[in-house]
Amino acid sequence: DTEHVFRQESYFHWTFGVLEPGFYGAIDVDSGRSYLFIPRLDENYATFMGALETCEDVRIKYAVDEVHYVDELPQVLGPMQPSTLLTLSGQNSDSGSHTT
């Protein structure tokens, strides 16, 4: 049995403090509101991981304004219609990982 070590992308970790994999984040620069998008895990994960955190649990844990599931990202961000969308893309000089 092998367990792979996950290391969060350093810029994302610095911005949101998130340690778990599969999260996405956004900041509305005009309003200052912060958003996290978490993976929607099947209830069966609770068998191995214990009680699954709710969106409200994650919102409080990471002190962001809103938390939604990753599959809701287009419905949440789409209506905002930002004039400019800034993204991290490229190779991280610390980890060597590519961000998109």
Side-chain angles (χ1 to χ4, degrees):
D1 214 4
T2 302
E3 185 175 331
H4 297 282
V5 176
F6 172 78
R7 295 192 200 289
Q8 185 60 269
E9 198 282 324
S10 60
Y11 295 125
F12 187 78
H13 181 254
W14 178 87
T15 305
F16 294 101
V18 173
L19 298 173
E20 300 89 348
F23 281 51
Y24 293 86
I27 298 172
D28 182 337
V29 177
D30 292 334
S31 70
R33 291 186 64 78
S34 54
Y35 303 82
L36 278 177
F37 297 89
I38 65 175
R40 189 184 298 270
L41 300 176
D42 186 274
E43 289 297 322
N44 291 327
Y45 277 77
T47 303
F48 302 100
M49 299 170 60
L52 300 178
E53 291 183 312
T54 65
C55 288
E56 182 63 10
D57 294 334
V58 173
R59 187 188 70 75
I60 292 167
K61 179 179 181 179
Y62 291 116
V64 294
D65 295 302
E66 294 184 33
V67 175
H68 303 274
Y69 292 106
V70 171
D71 57 55
E72 299 170 337
L73 195 147
Q75 294 89 333
V76 174
L77 297 184
M80 293 180 187
Q81 298 182 350
S83 59
T84 304
L85 183 62
L86 305 174
T87 62
L88 284 178
S89 181
Q91 186 172 9
N92 180 294
S93 59
D94 293 331
S95 67
S97 298
H98 289 277
T99 62
T100 54

